[in-house]
């Protein structure tokens, strides 16, 4: 009896299992990810579990206890068969409940996945509908930009600008279509000169330019643009900050109907400005690039070649560490390169400058030298204005002047209070309008072959090394004797204007060290750097020179300004340095 029950229940279990497997395979979905228990019919699953447990129980009675008819022999040390049967029933019910519970859990998970997939599909559909609506709005706005009426184009520009504020993934697209429109206006100007000045066109250009500038920079910057491509565009007044997120900023061939102001942060790209036309002033505010770049990496130059500027050109900052190229450019006003230190070369060849060209600072000392090499030397940078025309070139107060090329230049030249350790080539220079070499010092070759000099020159205190004199002797130019006589007379011994202390050593460190505990460390970092720069080109009679004392006082003022030192503290440090070094003059006042 027990054996028959085991055989029958086992056969039923096998049949039901095969039946469920075959059915679940036929009902498998396209993805095939549903668990097998979800695809199996519920009744067959429960019957299979029950029959399987009965078959196992029958085999256990038969093999373990020899109970052929479900009755245990007397020798079996086990409880009553009724208890065994009750245990079997409880196990069957527990197993069936566990199977049902597990199946219910799997079913809930499957429903959750289906709901999530439906939500994702709904979200994708919603986003696709939104994208389609934005594209339709974009197409209508672009259509308005292509009309002949300026008022319609202005309306289209407003629509594109508003769309760019909403459409994050399409911001670059909106920027590109607006710059393309500005580029098309520039191309129309090239073919039909009157089109640019027609009714409403300038207003349209100024509107688009102002709105783009507001979205690209400043506190309200809302557009994240990877590349500013303004090549060939026509723009209104523009004031932009070039931040580090940009990959390129290109203004090649652009036309600006007003002023252009660019502020370049130290970690950002260098703007390309070649062949730009600016009706007003062009100003670049330059931050020193402190990034640690590989030695072999060559920096791209600041390119202003073939530029046309109606107003003034100004490039200002602390250190110019990128080559500046402005060859074959025209500037109607002044050119100002207001830096304290030039560690890169400047090329202003074949420029036409309507006003003066001011290089460096009129009040602070300026240095032209490359970064120090491993052997401690600092080669001079190159500064060329060959074949350029200007009303005046002022390169004053240079503690270390550049390797200067003035050959073929035309205009007034002022090199006063500067020292030139490298060659100065002024062959064919036309300085008939004026030449100021007052207290200039030429340590290397000075060439003036074919130069045109005025009869009256400011050459008081001019110092010429033997090498410089040799270069002049080989040159053929008027008033050579006057230049030699003045230089020889000014090298004669002169009594100092005020008593000088016995020590000839510029021992500023011994004077500054006692003050370190009283003022911030940032102040001394700035002060040391500036005083070391003065120490590099120390005049022989530095204690008797008013200009040198002014440079020391200026170094204190500049360092105090950076460290935000109080005016009284600044004046105190200046007084200590003046007294400790025995300087000849009061120097510059505190800031």
């Amino acid at each position: 009896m027990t054996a028959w029950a085991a055989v029958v229940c086992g056969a039923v279990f096998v049949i039901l299992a095969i039946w469920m497997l075959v059915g679940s395979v036929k009902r498998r979905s396209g993805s095939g990810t549903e668990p097998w228990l979800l695809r199996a019919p519920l009744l067959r699953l429960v019957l299979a579990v029950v029959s399987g447990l009965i078959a196992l129980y029958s085999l256990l009675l038969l093999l373990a206890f020899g109970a052929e008819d479900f009755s245990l022999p007397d020798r079996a040390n086990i409880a009553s068969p009724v208890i065994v049967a009750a245990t079997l029933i409880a196990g069957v019910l527990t197993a069936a409940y566990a199977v049902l519970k597990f199946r219910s859990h799997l079913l809930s998970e499957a429903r959750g996945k289906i709901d999530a997939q439906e939500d994702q599909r709904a979200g994708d559909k919603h986003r696709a509908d939104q994208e389609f609506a934005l594209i339709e709005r974009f197409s209508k706005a672009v259509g308005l930009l292509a009309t002949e009426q300026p008022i319609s184009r202005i309306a289209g520009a407003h629509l594109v600008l508003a769309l760019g504020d909403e459409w994050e993934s399409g911001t670059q697209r909106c920027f590109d279509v607006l710059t393309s429109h500005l580029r098309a206006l520039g191309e129309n100007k090239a073919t039909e000169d009157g089109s640019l000045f027609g009714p409403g066109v300038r207003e349209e250009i100024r509107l688009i330019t102002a709105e783009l500038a507001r979205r690209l920079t400043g506190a309200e910057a809302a557009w994240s643009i990877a590349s500013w491509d303004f090549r060939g565009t026509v723009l209104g007044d523009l004031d932009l900050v070039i931040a580090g997120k940009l990959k390129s900023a290109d203004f090649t061939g652009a036309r600006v109907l007003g002023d252009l102001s660019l502020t370049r942060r130290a970690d950002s790209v260098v703007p390309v400005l070649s062949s730009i036309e600016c009706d007003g002033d062009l100003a670049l505010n330059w931050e020193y690039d402190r990034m640690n770049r590989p030695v072999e990496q060559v920096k791209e130059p600041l390119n202003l070649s073939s530029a046309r500027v109606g107003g003034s050109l100004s490039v200002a900052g602390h250190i110019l560490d990128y080559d500046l190229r402005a060859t074959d450019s025209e500037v109607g006003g002044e050119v100002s390169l207001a830096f304290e230190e030039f560690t890169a070369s400047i090329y202003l060849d074949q420029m036409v400058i309507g006003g003066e060209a001011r290089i460096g600072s009129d009040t602070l000392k300026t240095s032209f030298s490359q970064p120090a090499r491993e052997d401690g030397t600092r080669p001079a940078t190159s500064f060329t204005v060959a074949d350029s025309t200007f009303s005046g070139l002022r390169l004053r107060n240079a503690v270390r002047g550049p390797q200067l090329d003035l050959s073929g230049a035309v205009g007034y030249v002022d090199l006063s209070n500067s020292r030139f350790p490298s060659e100065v080539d002024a062959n064919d220079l036309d300085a008939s309008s004026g030449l100021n070499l007052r207290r200039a010092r030429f340590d290397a070759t000075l060439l003036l072959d074919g130069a045109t000099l005025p009869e009256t020159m400011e050459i008081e205190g001019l110092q010429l090394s033997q090498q410089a004199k040799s270069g002049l002797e080989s040159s053929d130019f008027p008033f050579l004797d006057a230049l030699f006589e003045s230089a020889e007379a000014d090298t004669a011994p002169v009594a100092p204007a005020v008593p000088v202390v016995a020590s000839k050593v510029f021992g500023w460190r011994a004077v500054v060290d006692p003050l370190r505990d009283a003022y911030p460390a940032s102040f001394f970092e700035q002060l040391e750097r500036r005083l070391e720069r003065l120490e590099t080109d120390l005049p022989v009679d530095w204690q008797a020179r008013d200009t040198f004392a002014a440079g020391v006082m200026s170094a204190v003022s500049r360092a105090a300004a950076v460290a935000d030192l109080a005016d009284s503290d600044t004046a105190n440090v200046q007084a200590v340095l003046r007294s400790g070094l025995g300087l000849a003059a009061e120097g510059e006042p505190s800031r």
Side-chain angles (χ1 to χ4, degrees):
M1 188 71 179
T2 305
W4 280 106
V7 171
V8 172
C9 290
V12 171
F13 172 79
V14 172
I15 292 171
L16 290 173
I18 295 174
W19 194 2
M20 287 187 293
L21 286 173
V22 173
S24 65
V25 170
K26 291 181 179 180
R27 286 190 297 273
R28 180 177 296 177
S29 65
S31 60
T33 58
E34 299 91 343
W36 175 80
L37 284 176
L38 290 180
R39 297 197 302 271
L42 182 59
L43 180 60
R44 299 176 197 171
L45 182 62
V46 173
L47 290 176
V49 172
V50 172
S51 61
L53 289 175
I54 294 174
L56 290 174
Y57 178 70
S58 301
L59 287 175
L60 177 63
L61 290 177
L62 180 62
L63 298 177
F65 303 102
E68 297 180 357
D69 55 355
F70 290 98
S71 60
L72 296 174
D74 295 338
R75 67 180 181 276
N77 184 17
I78 195 167
S80 171
V82 176
I83 297 176
V84 175
T87 304
L88 174 62
I89 294 172
V92 169
L93 293 176
T94 302
Y97 176 77
V99 170
L100 293 176
K101 194 67 177 177
F102 183 60
R103 179 187 172 97
S104 176
H105 173 71
L106 293 177
L107 185 60
S108 298
E109 284 188 348
R111 287 175 179 173
K113 291 179 180 179
I114 293 173
D115 292 340
Q117 291 174 355
E118 290 179 354
D119 291 343
Q120 183 178 359
R121 284 194 292 269
D124 292 342
K125 185 178 183 301
H126 178 67
R127 284 189 292 272
D129 292 341
Q130 282 186 326
E131 189 79 8
F132 182 74
L134 291 171
I135 292 175
E136 281 191 334
R137 289 171 55 189
F138 181 75
S139 300
K140 292 179 181 178
V142 172
L144 287 174
L145 282 175
T147 60
E148 296 293 332
Q149 298 299 324
I151 188 65
S152 298
R153 296 200 299 268
I154 290 175
H158 276 296
L159 290 176
V160 174
L161 290 165
L163 187 60
D165 296 336
E166 303 175 27
W167 193 9
E168 184 176 354
S169 62
T171 302
Q172 182 75 51
R173 194 179 305 179
C174 293
F175 174 83
D176 291 340
V177 77
L178 289 174
T179 52
S180 295
H181 177 61
L182 294 174
R183 191 173 294 113
L185 292 177
E187 292 173 355
N188 291 339
K189 170 65 174 65
T191 56
E192 303 174 12
D193 191 69
S195 63
L196 184 59
F197 306 100
V201 177
R202 282 183 175 268
E203 289 75 10
E204 176 186 0
I205 293 169
R206 290 194 174 98
L207 167 73
I208 297 175
T209 304
E211 291 298 321
L212 283 177
R214 184 171 65 83
R215 286 165 170 80
L216 293 177
T217 61
E220 300 181 4
W223 288 13
S224 179
I225 304 297
S227 175
W228 290 355
D229 186 2
F230 288 104
R231 290 176 298 175
T233 58
V234 57
L235 304 166
D237 291 313
L238 191 57
D239 188 350
L240 292 174
V241 176
I242 302 177
K245 61 185 178 181
L246 274 178
K247 295 181 179 178
S248 64
D250 196 342
F251 293 83
T252 302
R255 169 80 183 276
V256 182
L257 305 177
D259 299 335
L260 174 61
S261 178
L262 296 176
T263 299
R264 175 193 175 270
R265 293 179 181 172
D267 58 346
S268 63
V269 298
V270 179
V272 181
L273 299 165
S274 61
S275 303
I276 191 172
E277 295 184 31
C278 183
D279 293 352
D281 297 335
L282 175 56
L284 293 110
N285 299 311
W286 200 264
E287 290 190 17
Y288 173 53
D289 195 343
R290 300 176 181 84
M291 295 180 63
N292 294 322
R293 300 176 181 269
V295 177
E296 66 275 5
Q297 182 175 352
V298 179
K299 294 181 178 180
E300 293 293 329
L302 175 58
N303 193 351
L304 281 161
S305 300
S306 303
R308 302 292 181 266
V309 180
S312 62
L313 170 62
S314 172
V315 187
H318 176 55
I319 300 177
L320 181 63
D321 55 332
Y322 282 74
D323 286 352
L324 171 60
R325 298 183 181 275
T327 58
D328 196 28
S329 297
E330 295 182 7
V331 179
E334 296 180 344
V335 173
S336 175
L337 305 181
F339 291 87
E340 293 182 45
E341 186 173 351
F342 295 82
T343 61
S345 299
I346 305 170
Y347 303 96
L348 307 182
D349 306 309
Q350 300 175 356
M351 282 193 71
V352 177
I353 304 172
E356 288 186 349
R358 298 197 306 273
I359 314 300
S361 172
D362 288 339
T363 56
L364 302 176
K365 295 293 185 179
T366 306
S367 175
F368 294 81
S369 58
Q370 301 176 22
R373 295 177 176 175
E374 294 181 357
D375 57 1
T377 60
R378 292 170 61 90
T381 61
S382 296
F383 176 35
T384 67
V385 285
D387 301 318
S388 295
T389 302
F390 40 78
S391 65
L393 172 65
R394 298 186 182 273
L395 198 165
R396 301 185 296 186
N397 303 317
V399 295
R400 179 187 291 270
Q403 183 173 345
L404 183 60
D405 185 357
L406 292 165
S407 57
V410 179
Y412 171 81
V413 177
D414 183 356
L415 304 179
S416 58
N417 296 304
S418 298
R419 175 188 174 188
F420 295 91
S422 301
E423 179 183 275
V424 175
D425 183 356
N427 290 332
D428 298 316
L429 167 68
D430 184 356
S432 55
S433 56
L435 178 64
N436 187 351
L437 300 178
R438 186 172 181 268
R439 293 186 180 178
R441 175 177 170 181
F442 296 89
D443 296 336
T445 305
L446 174 60
L447 300 174
L448 286 169
D449 190 38
T452 303
L453 304 184
E455 184 175 357
T456 302
M457 297 176 284
E458 297 183 61
I459 51 179
E460 178 187 356
L462 172 65
Q463 299 183 47
L464 299 174
S465 67
Q466 188 59 45
Q467 187 176 358
K469 291 181 179 180
S470 299
L472 290 177
E473 289 175 349
S474 64
S475 302
D476 181 14
F477 64 95
F479 313 116
L480 173 62
D481 295 338
L483 204 60
F484 268 111
E485 290 174 1
S486 175
E488 291 172 354
D490 289 326
T491 55
V494 178
V498 295
V500 180
V501 294
S503 176
K504 300 294 184 181
V505 179
F506 183 44
W508 60 269
R509 292 177 179 84
V511 178
V512 168
D513 285 342
L515 304 176
R516 292 186 181 275
D517 295 335
Y519 303 108
S522 58
F523 166 70
F524 288 101
E525 290 177 2
Q526 292 288 330
L527 181 61
E528 288 175 358
R529 183 172 61 82
R530 297 173 191 278
L531 292 178
E532 285 174 355
R533 191 182 306 165
L534 291 177
E535 189 177 26
T536 302
D537 297 287
L538 189 68
V540 175
D541 55 345
W542 58 271
Q543 288 170 310
R545 284 201 176 190
D546 295 350
T547 54
F548 185 79
V552 174
M553 299 302 106
S554 175
V556 177
S557 297
R558 299 285 293 182
V562 174
D564 199 20
L565 207 64
D567 290 347
S568 58
D569 294 333
T570 305
N572 181 50
V573 175
Q574 288 176 330
V576 170
L577 276 171
R578 189 181 302 116
S579 174
L581 296 174
L583 298 178
E586 290 294 322
E588 293 186 350
S590 175
R591 60 183 174 91

